[in-house]
């Protein structure tokens, strides 16, 4: 490394450290903290202030231009499933079918399924009270705090895995776009890696972390509107439709040319924005029936969806700004040189950078966006398959959630754990997801 490289690394560390201080100590919103950090990186790296401002605007605009609609439509679909009690019906049905012995596994696979169209925060608020209620209804002697945690932790593992590894969640979707990966292959590999990762970090790990952790009373149930709960098959259709549309479009490339010509419409509807728009339009009659046009219901859906949208979009935009300043300063080129020496695997390097940004900013999505941006040159130079790079970055973005992660406090509240208990259960679980995910990505990349 040259003296200029060391200056760049120190500039990046200083900017990210400032962001941490402003977010954790100063209690500023991540949007403001990350923007301040981006400007500090640019100034310390020797980029003129006007060029730094241009990089900030370019990075934020590029991210929000492609992500805003996906975020809004994803939140809309999640609000419909929450307000109609459709996702709750799916969870209760799975837990009824599984029985006592299979309840942790039902909790895991319900979270994997429900988490496909839902943001992590929405899935958490929706699913954990249902799982806690199911745990409280277990037979006497099997509904203590340990039993409750052994149902809740697998649900958290399932939600975390799909959030970080499976499109159309914003993090992996943006990484797919930034790195030029195949959306269909990333979806397939993400599920392939995600299921065993969630099993190990969920039901298996909970056997060791749950005993001895005490819980406080559960919070209130999530908001609903006064409509008849939809049948399970309708809720299941609404959950799976966007994933099926995206996957079907990718399948066109595998068809014989003669057949592909007649199925071209599938490649059009597989665009994530269009797939989610179609899912929203189909979900309205499926979940609300003839009452879908009532003003109260429509207002409730979009109020519930848009309340978190502003904070999510601002944080994502600031993450894009930080990413662009790091790229403009030359961090991407420096990483290409380091990986080109053969000293470290490109996948391991991507995972490590994602871990550092996750620990610094507390946001899995920001870590994914920033790392994917600075790894673009490395993908081209190393020849590594971009789909595996997306998953390595996504796995690293979950490493050790702690006090600068809003999800840490949300999980603490909804599980009812104290601070040591949250570190022992949630933080360790996230770390196991990150490490197991990396190991499976390294194994998968050598096999496929």
């Amino acid at each position: 490394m040259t003296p200029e490289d060391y200056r760049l690394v120190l500039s990046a560390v200083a900017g990210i450290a400032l962001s941490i201080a402003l977010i954790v100590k100063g209690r500023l919103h991540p949007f403001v903290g990350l923007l301040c950090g981006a400007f500090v990186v640019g100034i310390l790296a020797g980029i003129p202030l006007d060029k730094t401002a241009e990089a900030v605007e370019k990075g934020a605009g590029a991210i929000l231009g492609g992500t805003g609609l996906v975020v809004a439509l994803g939140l809309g679909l999640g609000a419909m499933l929450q307000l109609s009690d459709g996702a709750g019906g799916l969870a209760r049905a799975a837990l009824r079918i599984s029985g006592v012995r299979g309840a942790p596994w039902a909790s895991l696979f319900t979270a994997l399924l429900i988490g496909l169209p839902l943001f992590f925060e929405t899935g958490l608020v929706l699913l954990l009270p249902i799982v806690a209620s199911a745990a409280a209804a277990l037979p006497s002697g099997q509904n203590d705090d340990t039993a409750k945690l052994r149902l809740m932790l697998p649900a958290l593992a399932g939600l975390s895995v799909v959030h970080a590894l499976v499109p159309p969640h914003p993090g992996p979707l943006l990484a797919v776009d930034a790195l030029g990966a195949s959306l269909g292959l990333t979806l397939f590999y993400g599920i392939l890696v995600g299921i065993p990762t969630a099993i190990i970090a969920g039901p298996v790990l909970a056997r060791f972390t749950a005993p001895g952790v005490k819980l406080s009373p559960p919070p209130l149930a999530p908001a609903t509107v006064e409509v008849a709960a939809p049948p399970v098959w309708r809720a299941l259709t609404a959950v799976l439709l966007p994933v099926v549309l995206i996957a079907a479009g990718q399948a066109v490339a595998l068809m014989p040319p003669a057949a592909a010509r007649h199925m071209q419409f599938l490649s059009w509807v597989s665009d994530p924005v269009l797939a989610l728009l179609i899912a929203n339009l189909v979900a309205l009659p499926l979940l609300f029936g003839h009452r879908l046009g009532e003003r109260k219901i429509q207002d409730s859906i979009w109020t519930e969806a848009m309340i978190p949208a502003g904070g999510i979009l601002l944080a994502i935009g600031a993450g894009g700004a930080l990413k662009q300043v790091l790229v403009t300063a030359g961090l991407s080129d420096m990483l290409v040189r380091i990986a080109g020496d053969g000293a470290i695997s490109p996948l391991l390097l991507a995972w490590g950078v994602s871990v550092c940004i996750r620990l610094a900013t507390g946001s899995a999505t920001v870590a994914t966006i920033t790392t994917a941006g600075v790894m673009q040159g490395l993908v081209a130079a190393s020849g590594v398959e971009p789909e595996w790079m997306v998953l390595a970055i996504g796995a690293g973005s979950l490493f050790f959630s702690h006090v600068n992660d809003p999800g840490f406090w949300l999980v603490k509240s909804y599980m009812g754990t104290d601070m040591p208990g949250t570190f022992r259960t949630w933080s360790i679980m996230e770390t196991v997801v990150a490490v197991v995910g990396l190991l499976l990505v390294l194994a998968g990349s050598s096999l496929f």
Side-chain angles (χ1 to χ4, degrees):
M1 290 178 64
T2 66
E4 194 62 29
D5 290 336
Y6 285 111
R7 177 184 179 181
L8 176 55
V9 171
L10 290 175
S11 300
V13 170
I16 293 172
L18 175 65
S19 297
I20 296 174
L22 293 175
I23 295 167
V24 177
K25 298 294 185 182
R27 303 295 183 189
L28 293 181
H29 191 277
F31 170 66
V32 178
L34 289 168
L35 281 182
C36 291
F39 275 102
V40 167
V41 170
I43 292 169
L44 294 181
I47 305 174
L49 191 57
D50 60 332
K51 299 297 182 184
T52 301
E54 289 177 10
V56 166
E57 293 170 8
K58 178 182 177 181
I63 291 295
L64 293 178
T67 308
L69 294 176
V70 172
V71 170
L73 290 168
L75 287 169
L77 183 57
M80 292 179 208
L81 286 161
Q82 174 180 327
L83 293 168
S84 68
D85 200 32
L90 280 174
R92 289 189 293 271
L95 291 169
R96 280 197 306 269
I97 293 169
S98 69
V100 175
R101 291 177 61 85
W105 299 94
S107 176
L108 169 66
F109 287 105
T110 300
L112 287 170
L113 183 64
I114 290 177
L116 287 172
L118 301 182
F119 279 77
F120 174 80
E121 292 82 0
T122 305
L124 170 67
V125 172
L126 173 64
L127 191 56
L128 275 195
I130 297 167
V131 173
S133 299
L138 291 173
S140 179
Q142 301 182 52
N143 61 354
D144 58 6
D145 287 347
T146 298
K148 292 177 182 178
L149 281 168
R150 287 186 62 188
L151 287 185
M152 289 191 282
L153 290 171
L156 290 172
L159 291 172
S160 293
V161 163
V162 293
H163 173 69
L165 301 179
V166 183
H169 280 274
L173 194 63
L174 286 164
V176 164
D177 182 62
L179 299 176
S182 162
L183 183 56
L185 274 180
T186 305
L187 180 61
F188 173 69
Y189 291 156
I191 293 172
L192 202 63
V193 169
I195 290 177
T197 300
I199 289 172
I200 293 169
V204 175
L205 182 65
R207 289 176 172 268
F208 303 97
T209 58
V213 177
K214 299 299 181 183
L215 301 179
S216 59
L220 298 174
T224 58
V225 293
E226 294 182 2
V227 295
V232 170
W233 72 266
R234 292 191 180 190
L236 188 61
T237 301
V239 167
L240 294 179
L241 183 58
V243 178
V244 170
L245 289 175
I246 289 171
Q250 305 302 312
V252 173
L254 304 176
M255 295 179 181
R261 282 197 299 270
H262 300 291
M263 305 298 290
Q264 194 61 41
F265 71 94
L266 288 176
S267 62
W268 303 334
V269 299
S270 69
D271 178 85
V273 173
L274 186 52
L276 283 166
L277 177 59
I278 292 170
N280 273 257
L281 295 174
V282 171
L284 280 169
L286 281 177
L287 301 177
F288 297 99
H290 66 279
R291 298 185 59 188
L292 64 91
E294 292 183 15
R295 179 175 294 276
K296 180 180 179 181
I297 288 177
Q298 288 293 330
D299 288 347
S300 297
I301 291 169
W302 295 106
T303 299
E304 192 71 24
M306 292 304 114
I307 285 175
I312 292 171
L313 289 172
L314 288 173
I316 290 173
L322 176 61
K323 175 268 297 182
Q324 188 59 47
V325 173
L326 290 170
V327 170
T328 302
L331 185 63
S332 180
D333 295 335
M334 187 192 78
L335 292 174
V336 170
R337 290 201 312 274
I338 292 173
D341 294 337
I344 186 170
S345 159
L347 293 174
L348 186 58
L349 180 61
W351 182 86
V353 171
S354 184
V355 165
C356 292
I357 297 173
R358 157 68 160 180
L359 291 172
T361 66
S363 170
T365 304
V366 169
T368 301
I369 291 168
T370 308
T371 308
V374 299
M375 289 293 164
Q376 287 173 318
L378 181 57
V379 169
S382 66
V384 68
E385 293 294 330
E387 295 80 19
W388 293 113
M389 183 72 83
V390 169
L391 298 182
I393 292 169
S397 75
L398 293 182
F399 192 89
F400 196 72
S401 167
H402 62 100
V403 294
N404 68 343
D405 177 11
F408 177 91
W409 301 104
L410 198 59
V411 168
K412 179 180 180 298
S413 170
Y414 272 85
M415 281 205 304
T417 48
D418 58 13
M419 186 74 79
T422 308
F423 277 114
R424 176 176 167 178
T425 53
W426 163 250
S427 299
I428 290 177
M429 187 205 77
E430 289 283 85
T431 304
V432 169
V433 170
V435 173
V436 173
L438 171 67
L439 294 176
L440 291 176
V441 165
L442 293 173
S445 65
S446 65
L447 295 174
F448 292 92

